[in-house]
Amino acid sequence: MAELRNIVVLTGAGISAESGIDTFRDAGGLWDKHRVEDVATPQGYERDPALVQRFYDARREAVQKVAPNPAHEALARLDREWEGGLLIVTQNVDDLHERAGASRVVHMHGELLSALCPICERRHRWTGPLIDRPECPSCEARSLRPDVVWFGEMPYQMDRIYAALRSAHLFVSIGTSGAVYPAAGFVSDARELGMKTLELNLERSEGSHWFHESREGPAGKLVPEWVDELLGTG
Ligand SMILES: [Zn+2]
């Protein structure tokens, strides 16, 4: 155990699905109703900004009506009690990790409850709609967009994420399909760096074969069990 000090946890849609948030990639998920290129690319936004704003306004409203589940609570407990390094890298744009109480969180794909001003490049916490083109509180331009990373855009804070990976002893992937890069590549980076790797997912993922260990089941059950093990309270 002396080796295990720094941990990087990657979370994906699977952890939020149990809170009732629509996932993007599962069958019957959001992508069945909307085309990726229409609502999640800069080109789609250029073509039809109102469609894109309505899509994210609905997501922003929905996210405020759901609550963190036991998986979020367990990671928040890990954040509170783990004395070593920890970085929770989430692909999710909801704020359920934070609402559960976690603070060592990076949103690599941005956040629904944030609006980005492309004019002054400031971001503002945002809970209401953007469809009616509200003013940017900093520069008053009416150009606010969802502060989410679209396909073709650079994920946020990659330097911080790779720095955490380089000093980590354990990489844990929770509820993610292993289909979206660069996150899908973290496990192979982790293997190359020589650390232990663990996957907790509802079912085996495209990337399962990369992991030393892969556990199948709902995040709400697997994550609390794993955190108990790690903190020695299981
Ligand atoms: Zn602005």
Side-chain angles (χ1 to χ4, degrees):
M1 292 297 281
E3 277 293 297
L4 176 50
R5 175 149 186 86
N6 300 330
I7 305 172
V8 172
V9 176
L10 172 69
T11 69
I15 195 170
S16 292
E18 286 170 44
S19 286
I21 289 189
D22 283 346
T23 61
F24 283 87
R25 299 210 155 253
D26 292 346
L30 292 169
W31 291 149
D32 282 0
K33 291 164 234 158
H34 303 273
R35 299 192 319 156
V36 175
E37 52 270 44
D38 289 338
V39 297
T41 63
Q43 295 78 12
Y45 183 57
E46 220 166 274
R47 256 194 322 270
D48 192 347
L51 171 81
V52 175
Q53 295 289 20
R54 262 197 306 277
F55 178 81
Y56 289 96
D57 283 356
R59 309 267 73 73
R60 193 177 305 108
E61 191 181 347
V63 80
Q64 295 175 77
K65 291 177 180 160
V66 299
N69 64 57
H72 297 105
E73 311 279 359
L75 288 180
R77 179 177 167 229
L78 181 66
D79 187 15
R80 271 195 312 277
E81 299 183 16
W82 185 253
E83 289 171 5
L86 172 71
L87 189 63
I88 299 170
V89 178
T90 187
Q91 301 172 88
N92 299 334
V93 291
D94 61 62
D95 64 339
L96 294 176
H97 284 304
E98 288 87 347
R99 272 199 272 153
S103 58
R104 289 184 272 183
V105 181
V106 165
H107 283 268
M108 64 180 292
H109 292 161
E111 298 177 67
L112 278 172
L113 297 182
S114 177
L116 174 66
C117 176
I119 307 299
C120 70
E121 298 185 349
R122 295 229 172 86
R123 24 179 66 87
H124 301 277
R125 182 174 159 79
W126 210 268
T127 55
L130 292 174
I131 183 80
D132 43 3
R133 298 172 56 83
E135 280 182 3
C136 167
S138 302
C139 74
E140 299 180 2
R142 294 183 176 274
S143 306
L144 291 171
R145 57 161 273 183
D147 189 11
V148 298
V149 176
W150 288 325
F151 288 89
E153 294 181 322
M154 185 63 81
Y156 296 157
Q157 303 201 49
M158 293 306 289
D159 290 349
R160 185 177 168 199
I161 294 167
Y162 283 118
L165 272 175
R166 278 193 296 274
S167 68
H169 307 108
L170 173 66
F171 172 73
V172 184
S173 171
I174 301 171
T176 169
S177 63
V180 179
Y181 281 83
F186 291 163
V187 63
S188 54
D189 297 333
R191 289 296 293 262
E192 271 172 35
L193 290 161
M195 76 193 75
K196 293 277 285 176
T197 55
L198 167 67
E199 176 184 55
L200 310 177
N201 204 30
L202 197 52
E203 54 200 16
R204 284 184 65 80
S205 74
E206 288 174 40
S208 287
H209 62 279
W210 283 101
F211 291 85
H212 290 106
E213 188 188 352
S214 196
R215 301 180 191 174
E216 285 171 56
K221 176 171 178 287
L222 295 186
V223 179
E225 282 173 3
W226 169 66
V227 170
D228 283 349
E229 262 172 49
L230 200 63
L231 296 174
T233 52

